[in-house]
Amino acid sequence: MEYLEKENMANVDQKQEKIEDEKKIIMRKKKKKLGGIKTMPFIFANEICDKFAATGFHSNMITYLTQELNMPLVQASNTLTNFGGTANFTPLFGALVADSFAGRFWTIVAGSIIYELGLISVTISAVLPTLRPPPCPTQVNCKEASGLQLWVLYISLLLSSLGSGGIRPCVVTFAADQFDMTKSSVTARSWNLFNWYYFSMGMATLTALTFVVYIQDNVGWGWGLGVPTIAMALSIIAFLVGSPLYNNIKPAGSPLVRLAQVIVAAVKKRKEVVPENPALLYENRELDADLSLHGRLVHTNQFKWFDKAAVVTNSHATDSKPPNLWKLATVHRVEELKCIIRMLPIWAAGIALIASSSHLHSFTILQARSMERHLSHSFQIPPASMSIFGNITMLVGLVMYERLFVPFARRFTGNPSGITCLQRMGVGFVINILTTVVASFVEIKRKAVAADHNLLDDPKAIIPISIFWLVPQFCLHGVAEVFMSVGHLEFLYDQSPESMRSTAAALYWIAISMGNYIGTLMVSLVHKYSGKKSNWLPDRNLNRGRLEYYYWLVSGIQVINLLYYVICSWLYTYKPLEEVSEICEEDKEVLAGDKIPSMILDSRNAHGEVELGRNETA
């Protein structure tokens, strides 16, 4: 009898859940006038100006540190990667602030203002001679920057790191908030938000690499850093102008607290027996309303130990009042924790990839500075501008991916996206390995030419080898970004719980942060233990180094990481979502009359049963 009563209660709960779904549809219709494509110019203008400023600020900083502040190569490279690590770790705090109480809009505004203060500080330090050491054209016996001068630099870098923490995890998710991102709506659209987001960022990067870097190398660092500072100020204004049009999603509370509540509740009820029928686990659609605007996570059989948190016992007074969430969690909240656990192994694979490539651009710029860069008698390519070849490849690759590759792949896979996010990331891993292998052979060629002309002992010599030898590795890196970077970001957004998407986007940046820190450790260890006479990464004269050995080392690490990723992606199970969708023309009648729209539960089969455990591996 007790079992039948629980079954009846479960049926009543399901009916109540449908009513809540219908209410949710009506509320979404009321908000439909906000958001949409009209908000994209303002949001993308903010991110484009931000990316322009960030790229103009950072792309040539290895030159600023070594040529203007006279820092040794390894110290300068480690300073940049440590700063990059910090800048990519702070998004976790920005995401938690946005998801917990501030919302994405105000988090972006605050982060942009702090970032602007950092840019102003570093621009002032570049203008005032007292904040830089004396010039050292020969790069021999140079006076390095004093402690005060370095502290001004570090404070500027810290401010920009804190500011980026409010911008990076929120902009792409804030842009997604302006659209219906349910599975059915995304499939119906002929364009991919993440592809075009990355394309816009690429255009901003391309402009900075050509325009700002040229100013830094040929006009001066005052204007070279001042232009990004002005661009960032304009981005703040553009973002605020569009504020009346935005669809602002109400923050649903701290995601870390919710995850902790599930773990604590499961530990407290570790001796309870999980019922075989998942319908007997606790669900409360009203309690989870703010966490599941586009659909509810349904029960899965993975990590069943955490289901203990949703087991209803006699001590839980669930009918009269909301339960104590530290003792009883809903199925949706339990599945949020399971989603994060499932994602972590895939996410971790990106860390080794970033660690392996974190120093490549700084070393490549120094290689380019030693090569023949003239396009004409009076014009030569700035070393930092070589990244435009990777950037252009990425931009062209994104368009070709969406317009050619996706329709072609769809014929064979039946997937509206062509291939899955996991498959897309896997291709990126493979191409990244090719990138470092090619880079090693180019370095061997560069040093061979230097040896032929007896230039190995001259760190300032221009070796008679064209800078365009570096183009293939930049192009390969651009192709890898089309697959790996966009696929990684889309995977984290799509597979994360709806209420944790800023936090999931922060995971993207945290992987970069941890990769940068590990990359710094790798470079420091290689520099320390690779010998004094033939050090792989010497402080001043790259010609006497063994940079190709370092490239081979990181290639080997990436091969091991690829094997790990293939295993993780093979075992990964995509999250099952019970998605509520409106049907055709019934939408127009919601606000005009009393008719309640029909609902499609896209994770249910024809019999109304939830299909669980569908394993779509890469």
Side-chain angles (χ1 to χ4, degrees):
M1 290 295 294
E2 182 179 353
Y3 179 83
L4 291 176
E5 289 178 2
K6 289 184 177 181
E7 287 280 10
N8 291 333
M9 290 176 61
N11 291 333
V12 171
D13 288 341
Q14 288 178 354
K15 293 179 180 179
Q16 183 64 31
E17 288 164 2
K18 288 186 177 182
I19 295 174
E20 294 296 331
D21 281 334
E22 292 160 359
K23 291 179 179 179
K24 197 180 300 182
I25 292 172
I26 295 173
M27 292 302 297
R28 276 204 304 243
K29 284 298 171 183
K30 291 179 179 179
K31 293 182 178 180
K32 200 164 186 177
K33 61 182 180 180
L34 297 177
I37 199 71
K38 61 181 177 292
T39 62
M40 291 301 101
F42 302 100
I43 297 175
F44 277 12
N46 172 266
E47 182 67 358
I48 287 170
C49 290
D50 168 50
K51 191 66 175 178
F52 175 84
T55 303
F57 177 40
H58 303 305
S59 61
N60 207 18
M61 281 301 288
I62 187 68
T63 301
Y64 182 76
L65 298 184
T66 55
Q67 304 291 325
E68 299 293 322
L69 298 184
N70 301 330
M71 294 175 66
L73 168 61
V74 171
Q75 181 186 352
S77 184
N78 283 344
T79 297
L80 290 182
T81 50
N82 285 335
F83 155 69
T86 303
N88 291 314
F89 188 78
T90 53
L92 174 62
F93 301 104
L96 292 176
V97 168
D99 284 342
S100 299
F101 60 89
R104 293 177 185 125
F105 173 80
W106 289 112
T107 305
I108 294 171
V109 171
S112 299
I113 293 173
I114 296 173
Y115 198 105
E116 176 69 8
L117 293 176
L119 290 174
I120 291 173
S121 301
V122 76
T123 303
I124 292 174
S125 70
V127 171
L128 298 179
T130 56
L131 297 178
R132 303 191 311 277
C136 184
T138 62
Q139 286 295 291
V140 177
N141 297 322
C142 300
K143 181 180 179 181
E144 298 181 15
S146 65
L148 175 62
Q149 292 166 342
L150 289 177
W151 269 109
V152 173
L153 171 71
Y154 295 151
I155 290 173
S156 302
L157 296 180
L158 179 61
L159 285 172
S160 60
S161 296
L162 293 174
S164 64
I167 300 171
R168 290 179 175 178
C170 296
V171 170
V172 66
T173 49
F174 188 68
D177 288 344
Q178 311 310 311
F179 299 96
D180 183 356
M181 295 299 289
T182 57
K183 183 178 178 181
S184 54
S185 297
V186 170
T187 302
R189 283 198 287 267
S190 61
W191 49 273
N192 183 307
L193 174 66
F194 297 94
N195 283 342
W196 287 106
Y197 167 81
Y198 223 84
F199 182 87
S200 300
M201 301 312 100
M203 289 298 297
T205 300
L206 177 63
T207 306
L209 288 173
T210 52
F211 178 61
V212 177
V213 170
Y214 179 83
I215 292 176
Q216 291 169 348
D217 279 0
N218 296 277
V219 178
W221 282 93
W223 276 107
L225 293 174
V227 170
T229 304
I230 295 171
M232 189 67 212
L234 293 176
S235 79
I236 299 173
I237 296 173
F239 189 70
L240 290 175
V241 167
S243 59
L245 303 175
Y246 299 147
N247 177 28
N248 290 302
I249 303 296
K250 181 181 177 182
S254 173
L256 292 185
V257 170
R258 291 201 304 277
L259 298 179
Q261 287 173 334
V262 173
I263 295 172
V264 170
V267 170
K268 287 181 177 179
K269 293 187 287 187
R270 58 189 177 276
K271 295 182 181 180
E272 295 291 336
V273 177
V274 178
E276 293 185 6
N277 186 357
L280 299 179
L281 296 174
Y282 180 62
E283 298 196 41
N284 189 324
R285 188 61 72 90
E286 183 178 358
L287 186 64
D288 293 335
D290 291 336
L291 309 180
S292 54
L293 296 177
H294 294 105
R296 181 185 59 160
L297 294 172
V298 295
H299 178 265
T300 61
N301 290 321
Q302 281 186 310
F303 314 117
K304 291 190 68 173
W305 187 85
F306 291 108
D307 289 343
K308 293 178 183 290
V311 173
V312 180
T313 64
N314 293 331
S315 61
H316 298 138
T318 59
D319 294 332
S320 58
K321 60 182 180 181
N324 182 345
L325 294 175
W326 293 97
K327 296 181 180 180
L328 179 63
T330 63
V331 170
H332 179 87
R333 293 170 188 246
V334 172
E335 291 300 322
E336 284 187 329
L337 176 61
K338 291 182 182 181
C339 279
I340 297 298
I341 295 174
R342 280 195 296 264
M343 290 167 57
L344 288 179
I346 300 292
W347 164 79
I351 297 175
L353 181 69
I354 299 300
S356 300
S357 59
S358 59
H359 286 67
L360 298 188
H361 283 296
S362 56
F363 292 147
T364 304
I365 289 174
L366 295 176
Q367 288 175 284
R369 191 167 290 279
S370 71
M371 302 169 78
E372 177 56 50
R373 298 182 281 120
H374 281 91
L375 291 182
S376 67
H377 180 72
S378 58
F379 178 79
Q380 57 181 353
I381 301 176
S385 291
M386 286 300 294
S387 296
I388 65 174
F389 292 101
N391 197 257
I392 291 173
T393 303
M394 185 267 289
L395 293 174
V396 174
L398 282 172
V399 176
M400 293 180 65
Y401 183 91
E402 185 157 299
R403 297 303 178 188
L404 299 178
F405 178 79
V406 170
F408 175 78
R410 190 184 295 150
R411 297 178 183 177
F412 301 95
T413 64
N415 188 323
S417 300
I419 57 177
T420 67
C421 297
L422 296 179
Q423 291 168 337
R424 186 173 185 174
M425 291 168 61
V427 174
F429 278 114
V430 174
I431 298 174
N432 259 302
I433 296 173
L434 296 177
T435 303
T436 49
V437 171
V438 169
S440 67
F441 287 114
V442 171
E443 174 62 5
I444 292 173
K445 175 66 177 178
R446 187 190 71 87
K447 289 200 301 180
V449 175
D452 291 341
H453 292 81
N454 298 316
L455 298 174
L456 290 177
D457 294 315
D458 185 357
K460 299 291 291 182
I462 300 300
I463 301 169
I465 178 175
S466 174
I467 194 175
F468 292 104
W469 277 84
L470 298 173
V471 170
Q473 66 197 66
F474 280 106
C475 291
L476 283 171
H477 183 76
V479 175
E481 275 200 276
V482 171
F483 287 90
M484 175 59 198
S485 298
V486 182
H488 195 190
L489 186 60
E490 186 174 2
F491 167 78
L492 291 173
Y493 180 89
D494 181 65
Q495 291 301 298
S496 65
E498 182 181 336
S499 60
M500 298 184 185
R501 280 174 171 164
S502 290
T503 305
L507 288 177
Y508 175 83
W509 298 105
I510 291 173
I512 298 176
S513 171
M514 296 178 68
N516 281 328
Y517 285 130
I518 295 174
T520 297
L521 178 63
M522 287 171 54
V523 167
S524 299
L525 292 176
V526 168
H527 178 68
K528 183 177 180 179
Y529 293 108
S530 60
K532 294 184 178 180
K533 288 186 177 181
S534 58
N535 196 286
W536 291 10
L537 305 171
D539 281 329
R540 297 291 179 186
N541 188 0
L542 194 62
N543 298 332
R544 283 296 183 184
R546 295 289 187 271
L547 183 58
E548 68 274 16
Y549 290 178
Y550 179 76
Y551 286 155
W552 291 342
L553 173 65
V554 297
S555 297
I557 292 173
Q558 289 185 71
V559 170
I560 297 172
N561 187 55
L562 175 62
L563 296 175
Y564 162 79
Y565 173 78
V566 170
I567 295 172
C568 291
S569 60
W570 182 262
L571 298 174
Y572 184 78
T573 301
Y574 283 77
K575 72 176 184 183
L577 182 69
E578 186 180 65
E579 183 180 287
V580 181
S581 302
E582 299 86 356
I583 297 182
C584 305
E585 297 299 322
E586 291 178 314
D587 293 346
K588 300 177 182 178
E589 304 176 19
V590 173
L591 298 178
D594 297 327
K595 185 176 180 180
I596 298 298
S598 303
M599 294 184 298
I600 298 175
L601 303 181
D602 82 337
S603 64
R604 293 178 180 266
N605 60 26
H607 304 289
E609 298 169 347
V610 179
E611 297 177 358
L612 301 178
R614 181 178 298 169
N615 191 4
E616 301 178 47
T617 52

